[in-house]
């Protein structure tokens, strides 16, 4: 007798979401997307990453939610802002954005107890060729990963598709940070690596909700963590870009709970 999906998921400590929970995560996802839209409108040379934090914090609170990053394992701000060679977990502060920069903004509100996690990389002013390339490749990597999501496929299929696209375009995939289950907590099982082999890893079953969030470097995949113990930067100083969505596996395939055009 084939194993029941709930039993299979439970073996990996994965909590399948009910219809009601999915609705809660979707609503939170809508707020997260509105927050990113607001951020996009303010991005221009001359603003600081600290100003982005203020806007995200205020907008989140005003909408009856709370920013998950604030005080999460000691993270001091309400949003991650990662500029140029910063891969992820950049801490907002006095850094001034300049023309030609790229900046990833990663927002995770908690609304009525539900978490949705989404990020985009934006251009500041006019992008140069390297900025254009890494952002284009990273965005397509998320799209390739999402296209693998359906019951019966595995987590390895997602990572394989992402790695394939990144490396065949001369870019590299960060290994130290991965996608993750999300919805009832910030980070739940399973882990979702953005590299891997077809057919390997946990099998996808309807009701799973997780992020795909490939961090793609223009140079090598190696990273360093700065003295602040959060900021991850490329070791070779090359540009890094990322896009993230929260995705639901359902009977016929996938549905983004934080949809934006890719
Ligand atoms: N939002 C990040 C993710 O995609 C996690 C940030 S943790 C924080 O998983 F503490 F830096 F906010
Ligand atoms: Co995430
Ligand atoms: Co995130």
């Amino acid at each position: 007798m084939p194993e029941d999906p709930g039993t299979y998921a439970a073996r990996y400590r994965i909590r399948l979401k009910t219809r009601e929970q999915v609705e809660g995560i979707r609503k939170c996802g809508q707020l997260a997307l509105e927050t990113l839209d607001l951020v996009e409108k303010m991005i221009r040379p001359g603003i600081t990453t600290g100003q982005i934090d203020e806007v995200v914090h205020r907008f989140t609170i005003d909408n009856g939610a709370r920013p998950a990053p604030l005080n999460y394992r000691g993270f001091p701000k309400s949003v991650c802002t990662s500029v140029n060679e910063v891969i992820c977990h950049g801490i907002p502060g006095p850094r001034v954005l300049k023309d030609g920069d790229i900046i990833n903004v990663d927002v995770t509100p908690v609304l009525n107890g539900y978490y949705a996690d989404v990020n985009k990389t934006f251009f500041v002013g006019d992008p140069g060729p390297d900025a254009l390339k890494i952002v284009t490749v990273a965005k397509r990597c998320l799209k390739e990963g999402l296209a693998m999501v359906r019951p019966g496929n595995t987590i390895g299929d997602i990572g394989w598709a992402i790695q394939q696209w990144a490396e065949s375009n001369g870019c590299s995939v960060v290994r130290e940070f991965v996608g993750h289950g999300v919805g009832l907590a910030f980070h739940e099982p399973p882990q979702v690596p953005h590299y891997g082999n077809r057919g390997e890893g946990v099998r996808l079953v309807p009701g799973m909700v997780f992020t795909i969030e490939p961090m793609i470097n223009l140079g090598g995949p190696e990273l360093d963590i700065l003295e602040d113990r959060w900021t991850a930067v490329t070791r070779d100083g090359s540009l890094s870009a990322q896009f993230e969505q929260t995705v639901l596996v359902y009977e016929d395939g996938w549905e983004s709970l934080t949809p934006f055009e890719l």
Side-chain angles (χ1 to χ4, degrees), residues 178-210:
V178 296
H180 50 90
V182 68
L184 308 179
F186 201 164
H187 296 104
E188 306 174 18
Q191 296 199 5
V192 183
H194 306 109
Y195 54 89
N197 300 309
R198 291 211 79 158
E200 290 186 1
V202 174
R203 197 157 43 77
L204 304 180
V205 302
M208 285 184 183
V209 175
F210 53 82

Side-chain angles (χ1 to χ4, degrees), residues 69 72 75 80 89 106 108 117 180 186-187 213 230 244:
Y72 176 77
F75 191 81
C80 297
H89 301 165
D106 190 340
T108 315
D117 196 4
H180 50 90
F186 201 164
H187 296 104
E213 50 179 300
W230 278 105
E244 172 176 33

Side-chain angles (χ1 to χ4, degrees), residues 15-230:
R15 301 175 66 177
L16 299 182
K17 273 64 178 183
T18 65
R19 192 183 282 271
E20 183 186 348
Q21 289 167 338
V22 168
E23 286 319 307
I25 301 165
R26 191 197 313 279
K27 199 164 167 221
C28 183
Q30 283 304 320
L31 174 60
L33 287 171
E34 285 174 39
T35 311
L36 272 184
D37 284 347
L38 196 61
V39 167
E40 182 168 20
K41 289 200 194 89
M42 72 182 287
I43 287 189
R44 59 188 155 72
I47 70 154
T48 67
T49 54
Q51 287 174 276
I52 296 173
D53 180 68
E54 283 168 26
V55 165
V56 169
H57 186 87
R58 171 56 39 209
F59 188 73
T60 304
I61 300 294
D62 285 350
N63 281 278
R66 116 184 127 76
L70 189 58
N71 301 320
Y72 176 77
R73 298 183 181 215
F75 191 81
K77 296 288 180 179
S78 297
V79 62
C80 297
T81 52
S82 302
V83 180
N84 295 344
E85 77 288 352
V86 179
I87 294 168
C88 64
H89 301 165
I91 302 172
R95 183 168 183 165
V96 178
L97 300 183
K98 59 179 202 317
D99 186 43
D101 283 348
I102 58 174
I103 178 171
N104 179 277
V105 180
D106 190 340
V107 302
T108 315
V110 191
L111 182 63
N112 304 320
Y114 297 111
Y115 293 70
D117 196 4
V118 60
N119 76 49
K120 289 185 190 179
T121 301
F122 301 109
F123 298 119
V124 181
D126 297 315
D130 284 355
L132 204 52
K133 172 162 187 190
I134 196 60
V135 169
T136 305
V137 172
K139 189 186 267 195
R140 179 65 181 262
C141 280
L142 173 55
K143 187 171 180 160
E144 295 294 317
L146 286 168
M148 299 304 283
V149 179
R150 72 186 73 111
N153 272 6
T154 68
I155 297 248
D157 292 328
I158 298 171
W160 173 84
I162 291 167
Q163 183 180 8
Q164 197 70 13
W165 189 268
E167 292 180 357
S168 65
N169 283 279
C171 299
S172 65
V173 176
V174 170
R175 311 297 160 116
E176 287 84 348
F177 301 104
V178 296
H180 50 90
V182 68
L184 308 179
F186 201 164
H187 296 104
E188 306 174 18
Q191 296 199 5
V192 183
H194 306 109
Y195 54 89
N197 300 309
R198 291 211 79 158
E200 290 186 1
V202 174
R203 197 157 43 77
L204 304 180
V205 302
M208 285 184 183
V209 175
F210 53 82
T211 73
I212 304 178
E213 50 179 300
M215 284 141 275
I216 307 298
N217 299 349
L218 200 51
E222 301 81 9
L223 63 76
D224 290 310
I225 306 291
L226 299 188
E227 290 276 79
D228 61 22
R229 296 167 130 261
W230 278 105

Side-chain angles (χ1 to χ4, degrees), residues 216-261:
I216 307 298
N217 299 349
L218 200 51
E222 301 81 9
L223 63 76
D224 290 310
I225 306 291
L226 299 188
E227 290 276 79
D228 61 22
R229 296 167 130 261
W230 278 105
T231 311
V233 299
T234 58
R235 186 161 294 167
D236 61 13
S238 68
L239 293 176
S240 184
Q242 179 183 26
F243 290 83
E244 172 176 33
Q245 292 192 22
T246 293
V247 55
L248 164 71
V249 184
Y250 78 110
E251 288 70 14
D252 293 325
W254 61 276
E255 183 195 331
S256 181
L257 302 178
T258 56
F260 59 81
E261 203 182 338

